[in-house]
Short mmCIF file of all heavy atoms in Angstrom, two decimals:
data_model
loop_
_atom_site.label_atom_id
_atom_site.label_comp_id
_atom_site.label_asym_id
_atom_site.label_seq_id
_atom_site.Cartn_x
_atom_site.Cartn_y
_atom_site.Cartn_z
N PRO A 9 -28.78 -27.67 8.20
CA PRO A 9 -28.27 -29.07 7.99
C PRO A 9 -28.79 -29.97 9.08
O PRO A 9 -28.71 -29.63 10.26
CB PRO A 9 -26.78 -28.88 8.09
CG PRO A 9 -26.47 -27.52 7.67
CD PRO A 9 -27.66 -26.68 8.22
N GLY A 10 -29.45 -31.07 8.69
CA GLY A 10 -29.90 -32.08 9.58
C GLY A 10 -31.22 -31.69 10.31
O GLY A 10 -31.68 -32.42 11.19
N LYS A 11 -31.83 -30.62 9.81
CA LYS A 11 -33.08 -30.18 10.53
C LYS A 11 -34.17 -30.04 9.50
O LYS A 11 -33.97 -30.01 8.28
CB LYS A 11 -32.88 -28.82 11.20
CG LYS A 11 -31.93 -28.88 12.36
CD LYS A 11 -31.88 -27.60 13.16
CE LYS A 11 -31.03 -27.63 14.36
NZ LYS A 11 -31.03 -26.36 15.09
N GLN A 12 -35.34 -29.99 9.99
CA GLN A 12 -36.59 -29.81 9.12
C GLN A 12 -36.68 -28.43 8.66
O GLN A 12 -36.24 -27.47 9.30
CB GLN A 12 -37.87 -30.28 9.80
CG GLN A 12 -37.89 -31.78 10.09
CD GLN A 12 -39.29 -32.21 10.64
OE1 GLN A 12 -39.92 -31.52 11.35
NE2 GLN A 12 -39.65 -33.44 10.35
N ARG A 13 -37.35 -28.21 7.55
CA ARG A 13 -37.61 -26.89 7.04
C ARG A 13 -38.62 -26.17 8.02
O ARG A 13 -39.55 -26.86 8.47
CB ARG A 13 -38.12 -26.96 5.60
CG ARG A 13 -38.20 -25.61 4.87
CD ARG A 13 -38.58 -25.78 3.51
NE ARG A 13 -37.58 -26.54 2.78
CZ ARG A 13 -37.63 -26.69 1.37
NH1 ARG A 13 -38.58 -26.15 0.67
NH2 ARG A 13 -36.75 -27.43 0.83
N GLU A 14 -38.32 -24.91 8.25
CA GLU A 14 -39.21 -24.26 9.25
C GLU A 14 -39.60 -22.81 8.68
O GLU A 14 -38.83 -22.28 7.87
CB GLU A 14 -38.45 -24.08 10.51
CG GLU A 14 -37.22 -23.23 10.50
CD GLU A 14 -36.58 -23.01 11.84
OE1 GLU A 14 -37.09 -23.55 12.89
OE2 GLU A 14 -35.57 -22.31 11.94
N LEU A 15 -40.70 -22.41 9.18
CA LEU A 15 -41.13 -21.02 8.80
C LEU A 15 -40.26 -19.96 9.41
O LEU A 15 -39.91 -20.09 10.62
CB LEU A 15 -42.59 -20.88 9.34
CG LEU A 15 -43.10 -19.38 9.29
CD1 LEU A 15 -43.38 -19.00 7.81
CD2 LEU A 15 -44.37 -19.25 10.10
N VAL A 16 -39.94 -18.99 8.63
CA VAL A 16 -39.22 -17.83 9.17
C VAL A 16 -40.12 -16.68 9.29
O VAL A 16 -40.28 -16.04 10.37
CB VAL A 16 -37.98 -17.50 8.21
CG1 VAL A 16 -37.30 -16.24 8.77
CG2 VAL A 16 -37.01 -18.61 8.12
N ALA A 17 -40.82 -16.35 8.16
CA ALA A 17 -41.68 -15.15 8.21
C ALA A 17 -42.58 -15.30 6.96
O ALA A 17 -42.17 -15.75 5.88
CB ALA A 17 -40.95 -13.91 8.13
N ILE A 18 -43.84 -14.80 7.20
CA ILE A 18 -44.80 -14.76 6.10
C ILE A 18 -45.59 -13.42 6.05
O ILE A 18 -45.67 -12.86 7.17
CB ILE A 18 -45.76 -15.95 6.01
CG1 ILE A 18 -46.64 -15.98 7.32
CG2 ILE A 18 -45.03 -17.25 5.77
CD1 ILE A 18 -47.71 -16.96 7.24
N MET A 19 -46.06 -13.08 4.93
CA MET A 19 -46.87 -11.85 4.78
C MET A 19 -48.02 -12.17 3.91
O MET A 19 -47.86 -12.72 2.83
CB MET A 19 -46.03 -10.71 4.20
CG MET A 19 -46.78 -9.41 4.01
SD MET A 19 -45.83 -8.03 3.47
CE MET A 19 -45.31 -7.41 5.06
N VAL A 20 -49.18 -11.75 4.42
CA VAL A 20 -50.43 -11.91 3.57
C VAL A 20 -50.74 -10.54 2.93
O VAL A 20 -50.18 -9.53 3.37
CB VAL A 20 -51.55 -12.27 4.57
CG1 VAL A 20 -52.85 -12.56 3.66
CG2 VAL A 20 -51.18 -13.57 5.31
N ASN A 21 -51.55 -10.62 1.93
CA ASN A 21 -51.83 -9.37 1.07
C ASN A 21 -52.38 -8.32 1.93
O ASN A 21 -52.29 -7.09 1.56
CB ASN A 21 -52.82 -9.78 -0.05
CG ASN A 21 -52.13 -10.24 -1.24
OD1 ASN A 21 -50.92 -10.40 -1.25
ND2 ASN A 21 -52.90 -10.44 -2.31
N ASP A 22 -53.05 -8.54 3.10
CA ASP A 22 -53.52 -7.52 3.88
C ASP A 22 -52.55 -6.84 4.70
O ASP A 22 -52.84 -5.90 5.54
CB ASP A 22 -54.75 -8.08 4.78
CG ASP A 22 -54.31 -9.09 5.75
OD1 ASP A 22 -53.08 -9.38 5.84
OD2 ASP A 22 -55.16 -9.63 6.51
N GLY A 23 -51.28 -7.27 4.57
CA GLY A 23 -50.24 -6.73 5.34
C GLY A 23 -49.86 -7.41 6.57
O GLY A 23 -48.86 -7.09 7.28
N SER A 24 -50.68 -8.32 7.04
CA SER A 24 -50.35 -9.08 8.30
C SER A 24 -49.17 -9.93 8.07
O SER A 24 -48.82 -10.42 6.99
CB SER A 24 -51.58 -9.89 8.76
OG SER A 24 -51.95 -10.83 7.70
N THR A 25 -48.46 -10.08 9.17
CA THR A 25 -47.20 -10.88 9.10
C THR A 25 -47.16 -11.95 10.30
O THR A 25 -47.86 -11.75 11.25
CB THR A 25 -46.00 -9.92 9.27
OG1 THR A 25 -46.06 -9.27 10.42
CG2 THR A 25 -45.86 -9.02 8.03
N ASN A 26 -46.30 -12.93 10.10
CA ASN A 26 -46.06 -13.82 11.20
C ASN A 26 -44.60 -14.17 11.16
O ASN A 26 -44.05 -14.43 10.04
CB ASN A 26 -46.94 -15.09 11.02
CG ASN A 26 -46.91 -16.05 12.15
OD1 ASN A 26 -46.72 -15.58 13.28
ND2 ASN A 26 -47.05 -17.29 11.86
N TYR A 27 -44.01 -14.26 12.31
CA TYR A 27 -42.61 -14.55 12.40
C TYR A 27 -42.32 -15.73 13.33
O TYR A 27 -43.04 -15.93 14.37
CB TYR A 27 -41.85 -13.36 12.96
CG TYR A 27 -41.74 -12.17 12.09
CD1 TYR A 27 -42.76 -11.23 12.13
CD2 TYR A 27 -40.73 -11.96 11.13
CE1 TYR A 27 -42.69 -10.06 11.35
CE2 TYR A 27 -40.66 -10.87 10.28
CZ TYR A 27 -41.69 -9.91 10.40
OH TYR A 27 -41.60 -8.84 9.59
N ALA A 28 -41.29 -16.51 13.10
CA ALA A 28 -40.83 -17.48 14.06
C ALA A 28 -40.27 -16.74 15.22
O ALA A 28 -39.72 -15.65 15.14
CB ALA A 28 -39.75 -18.29 13.44
N ASP A 29 -40.51 -17.33 16.36
CA ASP A 29 -40.07 -16.64 17.68
C ASP A 29 -38.60 -16.42 17.66
O ASP A 29 -38.17 -15.37 18.17
CB ASP A 29 -40.42 -17.59 18.86
CG ASP A 29 -41.88 -17.58 19.16
OD1 ASP A 29 -42.62 -16.71 18.72
OD2 ASP A 29 -42.38 -18.51 19.87
N SER A 30 -37.85 -17.26 16.98
CA SER A 30 -36.38 -17.18 16.96
C SER A 30 -35.86 -15.97 16.25
O SER A 30 -34.75 -15.49 16.37
CB SER A 30 -35.74 -18.43 16.39
OG SER A 30 -36.15 -18.66 15.09
N VAL A 31 -36.73 -15.37 15.38
CA VAL A 31 -36.23 -14.20 14.57
C VAL A 31 -36.98 -12.92 14.87
O VAL A 31 -36.65 -11.91 14.28
CB VAL A 31 -36.38 -14.59 13.06
CG1 VAL A 31 -35.68 -15.89 12.67
CG2 VAL A 31 -37.78 -14.53 12.53
N LYS A 32 -38.00 -12.99 15.77
CA LYS A 32 -38.69 -11.77 16.05
C LYS A 32 -37.79 -10.61 16.59
O LYS A 32 -36.92 -10.98 17.43
CB LYS A 32 -39.83 -12.04 17.05
CG LYS A 32 -40.99 -12.82 16.54
CD LYS A 32 -42.07 -13.03 17.61
CE LYS A 32 -43.26 -13.86 17.03
NZ LYS A 32 -44.23 -14.21 18.00
N GLY A 33 -38.00 -9.52 16.04
CA GLY A 33 -37.15 -8.39 16.50
C GLY A 33 -35.81 -8.26 15.74
O GLY A 33 -35.15 -7.23 15.84
N ARG A 34 -35.47 -9.26 14.96
CA ARG A 34 -34.24 -9.20 14.18
C ARG A 34 -34.55 -9.27 12.65
O ARG A 34 -33.76 -8.62 11.91
CB ARG A 34 -33.37 -10.41 14.55
CG ARG A 34 -32.93 -10.44 16.01
CD ARG A 34 -31.92 -11.58 16.25
NE ARG A 34 -32.39 -12.89 15.92
CZ ARG A 34 -31.88 -13.80 15.06
NH1 ARG A 34 -30.82 -13.33 14.36
NH2 ARG A 34 -32.36 -14.94 14.88
N PHE A 35 -35.60 -9.91 12.27
CA PHE A 35 -35.86 -10.09 10.83
C PHE A 35 -37.11 -9.30 10.58
O PHE A 35 -38.07 -9.22 11.34
CB PHE A 35 -36.11 -11.51 10.43
CG PHE A 35 -34.90 -12.44 10.50
CD1 PHE A 35 -33.65 -12.03 11.05
CD2 PHE A 35 -34.87 -13.69 9.98
CE1 PHE A 35 -32.54 -12.79 11.10
CE2 PHE A 35 -33.85 -14.51 9.95
CZ PHE A 35 -32.65 -14.12 10.57
N THR A 36 -37.20 -8.83 9.29
CA THR A 36 -38.41 -8.10 8.82
C THR A 36 -38.73 -8.55 7.46
O THR A 36 -37.84 -8.54 6.55
CB THR A 36 -38.16 -6.57 8.85
OG1 THR A 36 -37.91 -6.13 10.23
CG2 THR A 36 -39.46 -5.86 8.39
N ILE A 37 -40.00 -8.87 7.29
CA ILE A 37 -40.45 -9.26 5.88
C ILE A 37 -41.23 -8.07 5.43
O ILE A 37 -41.99 -7.44 6.03
CB ILE A 37 -41.31 -10.53 5.97
CG1 ILE A 37 -41.67 -11.01 4.53
CG2 ILE A 37 -42.59 -10.36 6.77
CD1 ILE A 37 -42.25 -12.45 4.43
N SER A 38 -41.07 -7.81 3.98
CA SER A 38 -41.85 -6.74 3.44
C SER A 38 -42.02 -7.09 2.02
O SER A 38 -41.27 -7.78 1.36
CB SER A 38 -41.06 -5.43 3.61
OG SER A 38 -39.84 -5.39 2.83
N ARG A 39 -43.11 -6.48 1.37
CA ARG A 39 -43.37 -6.62 -0.02
C ARG A 39 -42.85 -5.40 -0.78
O ARG A 39 -42.68 -4.37 -0.20
CB ARG A 39 -44.91 -6.65 -0.27
CG ARG A 39 -45.58 -7.84 0.34
CD ARG A 39 -45.41 -9.12 -0.42
NE ARG A 39 -46.05 -9.14 -1.73
CZ ARG A 39 -47.23 -9.73 -1.99
NH1 ARG A 39 -47.91 -10.25 -0.93
NH2 ARG A 39 -47.71 -9.71 -3.22
N GLY A 40 -42.29 -5.72 -1.91
CA GLY A 40 -41.74 -4.63 -2.80
C GLY A 40 -42.78 -3.84 -3.44
O GLY A 40 -43.94 -4.10 -3.42
N ASP A 41 -42.37 -2.80 -4.08
CA ASP A 41 -43.27 -1.95 -4.83
C ASP A 41 -43.93 -2.76 -5.95
O ASP A 41 -45.10 -2.59 -6.29
CB ASP A 41 -42.58 -0.74 -5.47
CG ASP A 41 -42.17 0.26 -4.35
OD1 ASP A 41 -42.86 0.30 -3.30
OD2 ASP A 41 -41.21 1.04 -4.60
N ALA A 42 -43.16 -3.64 -6.53
CA ALA A 42 -43.63 -4.65 -7.44
C ALA A 42 -44.31 -5.65 -6.63
O ALA A 42 -43.58 -6.32 -5.84
CB ALA A 42 -42.54 -5.21 -8.38
N LYS A 43 -45.62 -5.84 -6.70
CA LYS A 43 -46.30 -6.62 -5.67
C LYS A 43 -45.82 -8.06 -5.56
O LYS A 43 -45.86 -8.67 -4.50
CB LYS A 43 -47.80 -6.64 -5.95
CG LYS A 43 -48.46 -5.37 -5.71
CD LYS A 43 -50.02 -5.48 -5.83
CE LYS A 43 -50.69 -4.11 -5.52
NZ LYS A 43 -52.11 -4.24 -5.61
N ASN A 44 -45.31 -8.62 -6.58
CA ASN A 44 -44.81 -9.99 -6.49
C ASN A 44 -43.37 -10.14 -6.14
O ASN A 44 -42.69 -11.07 -6.54
CB ASN A 44 -45.22 -10.67 -7.76
CG ASN A 44 -46.62 -11.03 -7.95
OD1 ASN A 44 -47.38 -10.89 -7.00
ND2 ASN A 44 -47.05 -11.40 -9.14
N THR A 45 -42.89 -9.20 -5.29
CA THR A 45 -41.62 -9.20 -4.78
C THR A 45 -41.62 -9.16 -3.27
O THR A 45 -42.44 -8.45 -2.75
CB THR A 45 -40.76 -8.02 -5.33
OG1 THR A 45 -40.74 -8.04 -6.76
CG2 THR A 45 -39.32 -8.15 -4.71
N VAL A 46 -40.85 -9.95 -2.61
CA VAL A 46 -40.80 -9.96 -1.15
C VAL A 46 -39.34 -9.99 -0.69
O VAL A 46 -38.47 -10.57 -1.37
CB VAL A 46 -41.57 -11.23 -0.60
CG1 VAL A 46 -40.90 -12.52 -0.98
CG2 VAL A 46 -41.72 -11.12 0.88
N TYR A 47 -39.12 -9.31 0.37
CA TYR A 47 -37.83 -9.13 0.92
C TYR A 47 -37.77 -9.67 2.37
O TYR A 47 -38.81 -9.72 3.08
CB TYR A 47 -37.34 -7.68 0.97
CG TYR A 47 -37.37 -7.00 -0.41
CD1 TYR A 47 -38.39 -6.19 -0.76
CD2 TYR A 47 -36.30 -7.22 -1.24
CE1 TYR A 47 -38.33 -5.56 -1.99
CE2 TYR A 47 -36.27 -6.68 -2.53
CZ TYR A 47 -37.34 -5.80 -2.87
OH TYR A 47 -37.32 -5.14 -4.09
N LEU A 48 -36.61 -10.11 2.82
CA LEU A 48 -36.40 -10.56 4.13
C LEU A 48 -35.14 -9.83 4.59
O LEU A 48 -34.06 -10.09 4.15
CB LEU A 48 -36.24 -12.06 4.33
CG LEU A 48 -36.11 -12.51 5.75
CD1 LEU A 48 -37.31 -12.29 6.59
CD2 LEU A 48 -35.64 -13.98 5.80
N TYR A 49 -35.33 -8.85 5.48
CA TYR A 49 -34.25 -8.05 6.07
C TYR A 49 -33.82 -8.86 7.33
O TYR A 49 -34.60 -8.99 8.27
CB TYR A 49 -34.65 -6.71 6.34
CG TYR A 49 -34.99 -5.83 5.19
CD1 TYR A 49 -36.26 -5.86 4.62
CD2 TYR A 49 -33.99 -5.10 4.53
CE1 TYR A 49 -36.60 -5.09 3.51
CE2 TYR A 49 -34.33 -4.28 3.44
CZ TYR A 49 -35.60 -4.34 2.90
OH TYR A 49 -35.88 -3.60 1.81
N MET A 50 -32.54 -9.22 7.35
CA MET A 50 -32.08 -10.01 8.50
C MET A 50 -30.93 -9.21 9.20
O MET A 50 -29.90 -8.95 8.54
CB MET A 50 -31.59 -11.36 8.00
CG MET A 50 -32.54 -12.13 7.19
SD MET A 50 -31.99 -13.87 6.77
CE MET A 50 -30.68 -13.45 5.64
N ASN A 51 -31.18 -8.87 10.43
CA ASN A 51 -30.20 -8.20 11.18
C ASN A 51 -29.81 -9.00 12.47
O ASN A 51 -30.49 -9.94 12.77
CB ASN A 51 -30.84 -6.81 11.73
CG ASN A 51 -31.20 -5.92 10.55
OD1 ASN A 51 -30.39 -5.75 9.63
ND2 ASN A 51 -32.38 -5.32 10.65
#
């Protein structure tokens, strides 16, 4: 609320990922077995 939209995590087809500093070590992005599915695990 009241803030701009920001990147949390992205994954490219080659498997490379990028995370916001604020979530590194806590969040994990992964692709599902169905390639067009993506998950964000937030701990």
Side-chain angles (χ1 to χ4, degrees):
K11 295 188 177 182
Q12 290 187 332
R13 193 173 297 187
E14 62 177 1
L15 169 71
V16 176
I18 59 170
M19 175 176 274
V20 185
N21 274 3
D22 64 3
S24 60
T25 58
N26 187 33
Y27 293 91
D29 288 342
S30 60
V31 306
K32 285 180 181 177
R34 299 188 299 122
F35 291 11
T36 301
I37 187 170
S38 67
R39 295 286 288 263
D41 291 337
K43 287 188 177 181
N44 287 348
T45 301
V46 64
Y47 301 102
L48 185 68
Y49 295 86
M50 304 185 295
N51 297 315

